[in-house]
Amino acid sequence: MSFDFIFMLTRNDRTVPDAMAHAETALALGLRHIGFKDVGLPERELALLNARLRAGGATTYLEVVSLDAETELRSASVAAAIGVDHLLGGTRAELVAPVLASAGIRYSPFPGRIV
């Protein structure tokens, strides 16, 4: 049996400021499933990070930290705009799935409700 480990460029539910440097190290080590959060860096930097990871052969994951419907939908829009491969998290599939489907992004929402 095999499994895919997702290396997250995060600390304390935020993408780390030096994520690009860590991404380079992860790629050099051969890691191919790499993710980051939707908070911690501006969208433009997340887009550059995602582009570098994909150019390096990685599958990319954006994890939603948002707690309310408006910011969760915004996170899905960011995922679509920057072109990640997978969106992880959130609990409002009925709002998020249509945004992601049109962008061809895989989606793994969290079950239940956040407390």
Side-chain angles (χ1 to χ4, degrees):
M1 178 169 88
S2 71
F3 64 94
D4 294 320
F5 171 80
I6 302 171
F7 180 76
M8 296 296 291
L9 300 168
T10 63
R11 180 173 290 131
N12 296 324
D13 269 347
R14 301 177 67 80
T15 300
V16 295
D18 53 351
M20 189 66 81
H22 293 295
E24 293 297 340
T25 301
L27 290 171
L29 291 170
L31 297 177
R32 293 297 176 254
H33 294 272
I34 304 174
F36 44 90
K37 304 277 187 166
D38 63 338
V39 296
L41 291 177
E43 183 177 336
R44 174 155 171 65
E45 288 184 46
L46 292 176
L48 293 171
L49 177 62
N50 186 65
R52 174 62 191 110
L53 291 169
R54 295 202 63 210
T59 299
T60 58
Y61 301 81
L62 178 71
E63 184 178 357
V64 174
V65 180
S66 310
L67 297 177
D68 60 80
E70 182 180 333
T71 53
E72 188 171 329
L73 191 54
R74 169 137 172 56
S75 297
S77 296
V78 168
I82 69 174
V84 296
D85 296 301
H86 296 260
L87 182 70
L88 305 172
T91 59
R92 295 173 183 87
E94 70 282 358
L95 296 176
V96 171
V99 173
L100 301 178
S102 65
I105 297 172
R106 296 186 69 185
Y107 180 40
S108 301
F110 293 152
R113 58 189 167 92
I114 300 169
V115 292

